[in-house]
Structures are given as structure tokens and as C-alpha cells.
Amino acid sequence: MADLASRITKPEDAAPAAAGDSSAPEAQIEGANDGGNGGLFESAYDVEVKLSDLQNDTESPLYSVSSFDQLGLPKPINDGLLAMNFKKPSKIQERALPLMLGNPPRNMIAQSQSGTGKTAAFVLTVLSRIDLSKPTQPQALLLAPSRELARQIQTVVQTIGQFCENLIVEAAIPGNISRETGVKASVVVGTPGTVIDLIRRRQFDVSQLKVLVIDEADNMLDQQGLGEQCVRVKGLLPKDIQILLFSATFPDKVMTYAERYAPKANQMKLRQQDLTVKGISQMYMDCPNEKAKYDVLCKLYGLMTIGSSVIFVRTRESANEIQRRMEADGHKVSVLHGAYEGVNRDALLDDFRSGRSKVLITTNVLARGIDVSSVSMVINYDIPMKGMGDKEPDAETYLHRIGRTGRFGRVGVSISFVYDRKSFSALSEIANVYDIDLIQLSPDDWDLTEKKVQDVIKSSRAAPDYAPSTATKA
Ligand SMILES: Nc1ncnc2c1ncn2[C@@H]1O[C@H](COP(=O)(O)OP(=O)(O)OP(=O)(O)O)[C@@H](O)[C@H]1O
């Protein structure tokens, strides 16, 4: 393992850690303030990728030996995959599906890198297990940590299931299920708080549920966060339900808990050094001080032609502030965080997916799961830290944040801003966790910085031989 100090250069003379922003860091999980459920739109200007090479490379997480036909899925489901232009399964799809589809059903704990098709893996299982002759009887429940991710998963179920006659998929997110009718769908995708409310109010009949999927399971089961709600949900469901837990990260302490939540589960786990996605070039920007971070950000956007990008910050206040300043400087940007009402959040994300807005400033609320294939750059304006005290670097959130680019074989860049000892050592620790070398960028040499970043971004559009088509309208 390489020495940490050799991975990133220490800014010896940097000022000590600035007195932290008085405002609280934005929580990873957001379910409140929501309402409405507009349609999702996938970007019209997808970047392209040489996928066939990756799917033949035994080292790639996209590698597989079989085709979807060989997995024995029902015809309407296979037709849905064809319509989405999914030619071959990825590793997680190929290996996890036979285990999840077996009878009697067995629980599953499955880990695979960001952007490798975990959603389709569990969606295919759900679609294979439901009885379409009972279209309004809930049979599968899928839980996600944010309304955005729940809506996205809903779209994937609808898109893969577009030839499954009578398929009804509803989103159990705040404001979406009518009090009069309650849940009237065979597949329900929701956030845990809303799901509990619906069950308690007897608006959601869970008696016939066969499958429970928990996406981003390490985050969802973490006792500091949504863990308690997920335990409550499970307590209300049939005892013999098949439980499928998915994530790109499963820290040891959550793993023990996950094994209790999904007893006797088949498991697919990754080694720590295999967690990072090779297509993402991980860089860091050595800023002279905290104030300079903003100028560096503007310079980056002024200099480079970047497709879509996401800027992650620690608090809602700093997201608003950066938006205000960037707009005053003539950049067109959007901001999305938990203070926005649900319907506004939906519209903001739809704008970003469609490419109407190309820069998204957000907090950890969108760190996980969100799939917008045109994102070619992720900026960690603030290094992710754990908990309120900001004492420990949050290596899992780092991995999920940078995973918003480099989706399914695409390439992308992540740039993490450091400016003092604290941010530097936090990033060093993260680099050590994943055994990665980060590429240094300097605000003193913009020609070189531009070249390093643009080389990656340009190659994301080079020599395509295959462009996966993704979900269109829900
Ligand atoms: N077999 C396939 N062939 C082509 N494209 C695929 C295939 N499976 C999934 N994809 C596409 O890959 C992208 C990433 O998939 P998905 O969002 O499921 O990743 P994930 O593993 O859940 O990532 P994360 O950990 O970030 O949640 C999506 O746009 C999806 O449509």
C-alpha cells in the first residue's frame, strides 16, 4: 500500500482549519417537505462509451459470460431489457440474479461498485416475482433513502416493465398517495417514513408482500439514521418475505447488522481495494485557503467545457451562497437540497436530467444512487465528514458522491478541494481507505489543470461503439 503522504501533497503552510460553518451539515437522508410526483426525464445528450470492451474484460465489474436470455426471465421482461438496449448483464446482474430468483426464495446482501446496474438486478427480481393478475395488490416494496432515488427506481421498474401488462408502480413518497384510495399498485417504491405512515393508516395492505428491497442498505440500516424506521417497516411485513439489500458500500459495522436484518442471506461482497470505479479519474485541487475555493471553482467553470457536473457542499447555506455568487458571475446553475419542497425538488432534478441545467449544487441528499449518465465531473467542494462534529472523514459518502459520474463504463473526473491540514488529512485518509492515488491539480498552473481535466472529459466522448439508451419518460 502506498504511503499516504506520497498520495497527495501536504499544504504545509496552509492556515489551520477555519472555524466551521455554524450551520449544520445537510443530512444524507431526506424524506420530508415532499409532494407530487412528476415524470422523470433522462438526459437527451448522453455521453457514449465503448461498452463491449468492458463487458469482455474479466477484471471489469461489467464483465459477464452470459446474455439476459440465458437468465430465464419471462419474455415481457426480456423485451423491456431489449427496449432499453441492455445487451449483456453486468457482473452483479449475472451473478446475483440466479441466486435471487431461486426457489424457495433466499435473502441477498449484494455489493457492487457505483453505476454497475444494481437497480436493474433487483428490479428484474421484483418483476419476476409479482403476479400481474393482481395489479392493485401490493406484492413488492422497495425502499430508498431519498424521494429522488425512490422516483428514479420507480421509473426503472416502469421502463423495464413496460411490456408487463397491468403493471402498476406507485411511489410512496410524501404527498403522492391519495388518502381516499391508498396504495393501489403491485410494486411500491418509497421512503421509510412515508411507508410506515401509510401502513399505520391502513392505506397500504402489506399482507401479500413477497419481496422487500432496501437500496443503499448500509445507509438505510445504519442505526444513526434510518435504521430504526427500516426495523419498524420489517416488523410490519409478512415474516417469510424475501429481503434484498443492495449498496456499493457495506462497512463492517453495518454488515453485522445487515446479516441480522436479512438472515441466511446469500452474499456478494467486494474487497475494499475493488470499490473504486476505474473510469473515474480522482483528482484534488490544492487551494491556498478556504476563501480561495470559490475563485478556483469559478475559474474551473470559466475555463472548461464540461458536460453536466455536480458540486457537493456540506450545508444548505453554502449551497445557496455558491449558487448566488456563481449566478452573479454569469454562470447558470441549479441548487437542490432538503429545504426545498418536494415538487420543486422534482422539477429541479428533471431540469438537470434533461440538460436544461448543467451544473447542480447539492448536499449529501443526492450523494447516493442518482443516475444521470451525462455527468462528467463531480466536485467535492467540501470533503465529506461524518456526523455533526465533522471529526471523521466519511469515506463511504466520498465513494457515493464521486460515483455520480463514470456510470456503467463511462469515464468522468472527480475533483476534491482541500485547503488546510484538516481537509488535507481527511482526503488522505479517504485515499488510504480505498488504496488510491489522487492526481494533484494546482490553481497556479491553469494550463496544466485544464489539460488534465479536459483529457478525461474529452475521452468520454471518443470512439463510441455502443451507447446504452436509458430511461425516457416515466
Ligand atoms: N446490462 C446493462 N447494459 C447497459 N446499461 C445498463 C445495464 N444495467 C444497467 N445499465 C445502466 O447503467 C446505469 C447505472 O445503473 P444503476 O443506476 O443501477 O447503478 P447502481 O449500481 O445502482 O449505482 P449506485 O451505486 O450509484 O446506485 C443506468 O443508467 C442503467 O440504465
Side-chain angles (χ1 to χ4, degrees), residues 86 88 93 114-119 369 371 404 407-408 470:
F86 284 11
K88 278 178 83 178
Q93 292 164 354
S114 57
T116 53
K118 292 185 287 296
T119 317
D371 179 54
R404 294 320 96 213
R407 313 284 297 162
F408 214 85
T470 34

Side-chain angles (χ1 to χ4, degrees), residues 75-96:
K75 184 167 182 323
I77 300 179
N78 259 328
D79 291 346
L81 290 168
L82 269 178
M84 289 181 87
N85 206 14
F86 284 11
K87 300 212 163 106
K88 278 178 83 178
S90 61
K91 212 177 251 180
I92 186 78
Q93 292 164 354
E94 182 191 47
R95 299 207 178 151

Side-chain angles (χ1 to χ4, degrees), residues 42 51 55 68 81 84-90 92-93 112-122 149 152 156 215-216 247-248 367-373 400 403-404 407-408 410 466 468-471:
E42 181 55 39
L51 195 52
Q55 294 212 280
F68 280 112
L81 290 168
M84 289 181 87
N85 206 14
F86 284 11
K87 300 212 163 106
K88 278 178 83 178
S90 61
I92 186 78
Q93 292 164 354
S112 169
Q113 296 88 340
S114 57
T116 53
K118 292 185 287 296
T119 317
F122 60 71
L149 189 50
Q152 179 179 294
V156 176
D215 197 12
E216 309 301 342
S247 184
R368 286 178 176 250
I370 297 303
D371 179 54
V372 180
S373 48
H400 288 277
R404 294 320 96 213
R407 313 284 297 162
F408 214 85
R410 293 173 178 82
Y466 173 69
S469 72
T470 34

Side-chain angles (χ1 to χ4, degrees), residues 235-274:
L236 298 165
L237 307 185
K239 296 290 159 263
D240 59 347
I241 195 163
Q242 182 182 20
I243 301 172
L244 312 176
L245 306 180
F246 275 80
S247 184
T249 49
F250 274 105
D252 290 344
K253 76 173 173 49
V254 185
M255 195 60 194
T256 320
Y257 190 63
E259 285 168 354
R260 261 186 276 146
Y261 193 90
K264 299 194 187 120
N266 285 310
Q267 294 192 14
M268 289 187 61
K269 281 213 72 191
L270 294 172
R271 293 175 307 172
Q272 198 69 5
Q273 64 270 32
D274 292 335

Side-chain angles (χ1 to χ4, degrees), residues 412-431:
V413 184
S414 73
I415 306 178
S416 299
F417 283 18
V418 292
Y419 66 96
D420 65 353
R421 273 176 198 279
K422 188 181 168 195
S423 54
F424 167 82
S425 53
L427 186 61
S428 299
E429 269 186 54
I430 293 171

